[in-house]
Amino acid sequence: MPTLSLTQIHSSDTLLIKSPWKLLNKFKMSEGTATIRTRKFMTNRLLSRRQMIVDVLHPGRASLPKTEIREKLAKLYKTTNDVVFCFGFKTAFGGGRSSGFALIYDSLDLAKKFEPKYRLQRHGLYERGKTTRKQRKEKKNRMKKVRGTKKTKVGAAAAKK
Amino acid sequence: MSVSVEEENGAAVEKGTIRAMEISLGDVDKTKAIFDEVSHRTKDCAALVAALAHKVKGKEMTTAKGISFLEMKNHLLLQYLLGLGGVVMTKLTGNSLRDGCFVDQLVELRVILEKIKPIDNKLKYQIDKLIRNASDKQPESDPLMHKANLDNLNPDDSDVEDQDNERPSGKKDVYMPPKVAAQPYDEEDETPAKQMEKVRKKSINRLLIRELQEEFLETPTEIFNKGEGFSSDHLSRHTKDKQRYEETYLTRLPETKKDKHIARAISTMGVLGDEITDFRPRKSSAASAGKKKSLKRKKSTSGGSKKRFRKK
């Protein structure tokens, strides 16, 4: 039996390399259709959004990813994808049913104004600072030792170290 | 066939007209009398109004410091009269009221007048008093003219004495209990065994009564599906409350390690027996709030907007 070198492996052979579990999952995922239902719909004029509870029925498959649910809700409520924010999805015991919450804003600007930053981050609309908490506190303590305009120099100099 | 229908219609129309004529002939005299009266009254009214207007123009009466509410009411009533006149006119000329704008106007004015009626009631006393002051000269000795003397309401006055707290003559330092409304006695210091006994008796009694009700009454029996498989009353209530809270405030409550352990313990069959036969009295949130939890809550509450979900 000829041994396969790494260079000879083509994309057509990838099926052989993938783990059997992944194969199984591939076949499993397409089984069954998912239904999305909304409950307790309320128009919140104060925060200019529509809020609701979303029930997803997905017998025989894993819970739907949030992006898919966003698409479906956007189609249902005739808005674009980017103003729909869904969160808090929990699958009921035994599977097949999960429920979560969804907020549909009137416009993206209002969404940026009212949504908490971590949810905006999930949509890529907000970037959190890269500095860790420890580094910020250390910088602050370094700055405490110096007076006046030297504070900025101290912060930059110590970071470069 | 069509001819007979026409004849029938013709007869009906004739009948209708005869009836209408009968009604109108009877009313013509009445309307004549009413119009005469209206003309008389308007002449007198016009004379009054002319005199008033002359006085105001001649600066004999100043209208600067009047009550604006009454002025507004005057304007509204005038508009209403004009509207009424318009309605009468449309009716006399034979036009339909629906085409004109008078009815809408009248309805609007009527609604406004009815809404300001309670304000009218409230101002009635003050207006009457003002008029009385302006018209007659009441003497100073009228007690209703004066403001209340708040010094007389001083409770430390020695003249006023509470009759109930008067001590019986001769006996000193006798304790008189305060007269308070009766309250139910809640025995908290009982031993847990005694408490369980009480609760068991009560529950058995309740079960008996419920069984008898089912047997003899004709109301349909309600069967509750208390959660698939294993869930005690306390647990299902807890989960229901939690779900209700989450759905109202659109948040997910965090599941602590304690909750996870409890959930795992519930799912094992060994615990079921105790859950079913546990008759310990479960305190309601109101009772538990009074004792230990009030101390704990004083730290945590800080005037937050969301209601806290308290675990029972």
Side-chain angles (χ1 to χ4, degrees):
Chain A
M1 191 146 163
T3 52
L4 277 167
S5 67
L6 274 166
T7 51
Q8 280 177 357
I9 295 171
H10 298 297
S11 55
S12 54
D13 294 331
T14 45
L15 261 173
L16 296 164
I17 296 171
K18 267 189 181 169
S19 73
W21 294 115
K22 281 192 179 168
L23 260 180
L24 257 174
N25 283 342
K26 216 177 180 181
F27 283 124
K28 247 193 188 174
M29 272 215 278
S30 50
E31 206 183 286
T33 52
T35 326
I36 295 184
R37 260 193 269 138
T38 60
R39 255 192 312 139
K40 284 204 179 171
F41 180 86
M42 189 176 97
T43 313
N44 192 340
R45 279 285 104 224
L46 296 167
L47 297 172
S48 45
R49 69 185 184 198
R50 294 175 275 181
Q51 54 196 51
M52 68 206 80
I53 302 171
V54 180
D55 281 333
V56 185
L57 301 160
H58 46 87
R61 58 186 278 194
S63 55
L64 287 179
K66 286 201 281 276
T67 46
E68 251 188 75
I69 297 175
R70 269 176 73 203
E71 272 175 39
K72 298 275 166 60
L73 281 174
K75 224 187 291 171
L76 199 66
Y77 286 93
K78 297 166 193 111
T79 49
T80 52
N81 246 7
D82 46 357
V83 289
V84 183
F85 292 81
C86 43
F87 58 98
F89 279 91
K90 277 229 168 100
T91 315
F93 189 81
R97 210 177 79 97
S98 47
S99 73
F101 312 111
L103 310 167
I104 303 179
Y105 284 88
D106 290 346
S107 76
L108 194 62
D109 290 333
L110 287 164
K112 281 189 193 163
K113 191 171 160 197
F114 289 123
E115 272 293 280
K117 299 281 185 279
Y118 73 93
R119 268 187 237 150
L120 292 173
Q121 204 171 352
R122 288 181 189 172
H123 285 207
L125 300 166
Y126 176 76
E127 267 304 313
R128 209 184 143 171
K130 298 285 181 173
T131 56
T132 57
R133 193 159 175 253
K134 184 95 173 127
Q135 279 175 0
R136 272 182 275 142
K137 285 185 190 277
E138 280 177 358
K139 181 174 172 184
K140 174 209 50 155
N141 286 332
R142 269 180 260 125
M143 290 210 291
K144 275 200 280 185
K145 293 185 198 163
V146 197
R147 188 90 169 83
T149 49
K150 294 192 195 112
K151 282 196 198 273
T152 53
K153 289 183 203 161
V154 163
K160 274 186 194 165
K161 273 195 218 167
Chain B
M1 281 298 269
S2 57
V3 177
S4 59
V5 168
E6 268 180 35
E7 274 180 12
E8 274 179 19
N9 278 350
V13 164
E14 253 187 57
K15 259 195 180 174
T17 47
I18 290 168
R19 186 102 178 88
M21 276 165 68
E22 280 175 359
I23 295 170
S24 61
L25 277 171
D27 280 338
V28 160
D29 299 326
K30 276 193 210 169
T31 45
K32 269 193 194 167
I34 287 171
F35 281 148
D36 287 335
E37 203 181 321
V38 164
S39 60
H40 279 304
R41 293 279 181 87
T42 46
K43 273 186 207 155
D44 298 333
C45 204
L48 239 178
V49 170
L52 271 175
H54 183 78
K55 271 195 189 173
V56 169
K57 277 191 192 157
K59 309 275 169 97
E60 283 176 28
M61 294 201 308
T62 48
T63 54
K65 289 185 185 172
I67 301 176
S68 59
F69 175 74
L70 292 175
E71 198 184 323
M72 181 195 79
K73 229 176 125 180
N74 280 340
H75 281 296
L76 286 173
L77 288 167
L78 252 181
Q79 282 221 349
Y80 195 81
L81 283 173
L82 289 171
L84 275 179
V87 163
V88 170
M89 213 179 69
T90 42
K91 285 231 143 178
L92 284 174
T93 51
N95 294 330
S96 158
L97 276 176
R98 250 176 251 183
D99 306 332
C101 58
F102 291 115
V103 181
D104 290 330
Q105 198 188 356
L106 280 177
V107 165
E108 202 184 313
L109 287 165
R110 186 68 186 276
V111 167
I112 297 170
L113 283 167
E114 278 178 8
K115 287 221 164 189
I116 60 178
K117 208 171 184 190
I119 309 174
D120 210 10
N121 284 337
K122 281 185 193 169
L123 285 176
K124 189 173 176 311
Y125 174 73
Q126 287 189 23
I127 296 171
D128 287 343
K129 197 135 190 244
L130 279 171
I131 295 169
R132 217 186 317 142
N133 279 350
S135 55
D136 341 316
K137 310 289 186 220
Q138 281 276 342
E140 289 292 314
S141 57
D142 186 17
L144 287 172
M145 289 282 287
H146 298 287
K147 211 170 74 167
N149 192 1
L150 292 172
D151 295 333
N152 286 340
L153 293 170
N154 202 346
D156 298 334
D157 223 343
S158 58
D159 308 333
V160 183
E161 235 182 57
D162 204 0
Q163 294 292 318
D164 293 331
N165 288 350
E166 255 183 23
R167 291 182 189 159
S169 57
K171 290 190 179 179
K172 289 189 180 178
D173 300 319
V174 174
Y175 173 63
M176 302 290 249
K179 291 180 181 166
V180 185
Q183 282 167 354
Y185 176 58
D186 190 20
E187 174 79 80
E188 286 287 343
D189 298 334
E190 276 180 345
T191 56
K194 265 192 183 173
Q195 274 183 329
M196 242 196 283
E197 259 306 308
K198 246 197 207 167
V199 175
R200 193 173 280 139
K201 263 196 235 171
K202 274 196 200 155
S203 63
I204 286 171
N205 215 5
R206 219 187 303 144
L207 281 169
L208 267 173
I209 288 172
R210 210 179 296 160
E211 274 187 25
L212 286 171
Q213 275 180 339
E214 273 184 37
E215 218 183 292
F216 292 114
L217 286 180
E218 278 153 23
T219 53
T221 53
E222 296 176 44
I223 302 170
F224 295 100
N225 185 14
K226 265 194 168 182
E228 286 77 33
F230 34 83
S231 60
S232 66
D233 177 47
H234 177 66
L235 183 72
S236 62
R237 206 183 336 136
H238 178 82
T239 47
K240 258 189 225 151
D241 285 342
K242 190 171 170 192
Q243 206 180 6
R244 208 186 312 141
Y245 179 88
E246 284 184 349
E247 290 188 352
T248 325
Y249 292 105
L250 287 197
T251 48
R252 288 286 182 205
L253 287 165
E255 194 176 275
T256 56
K257 288 256 169 65
K258 193 175 160 189
D259 287 334
K260 271 193 236 167
H261 291 320
I262 289 169
R264 209 187 306 148
I266 292 299
S267 61
T268 59
M269 296 296 276
V271 193
L272 266 182
D274 284 354
E275 294 267 74
I276 292 171
T277 58
D278 182 19
F279 282 113
R280 263 178 297 158
R282 279 165 248 121
K283 289 185 191 158
S284 62
S285 62
S288 64
K291 286 219 156 183
K292 292 179 192 170
K293 291 207 177 171
S294 63
L295 290 168
K296 278 191 192 168
R297 211 175 293 136
K298 269 184 187 170
K299 256 197 296 177
S300 57
T301 53
S302 55
S305 57
K306 279 190 190 171
K307 204 175 76 161
R308 295 258 169 164
F309 181 73
R310 286 174 231 112
K311 291 184 189 160
K312 290 169 198 168

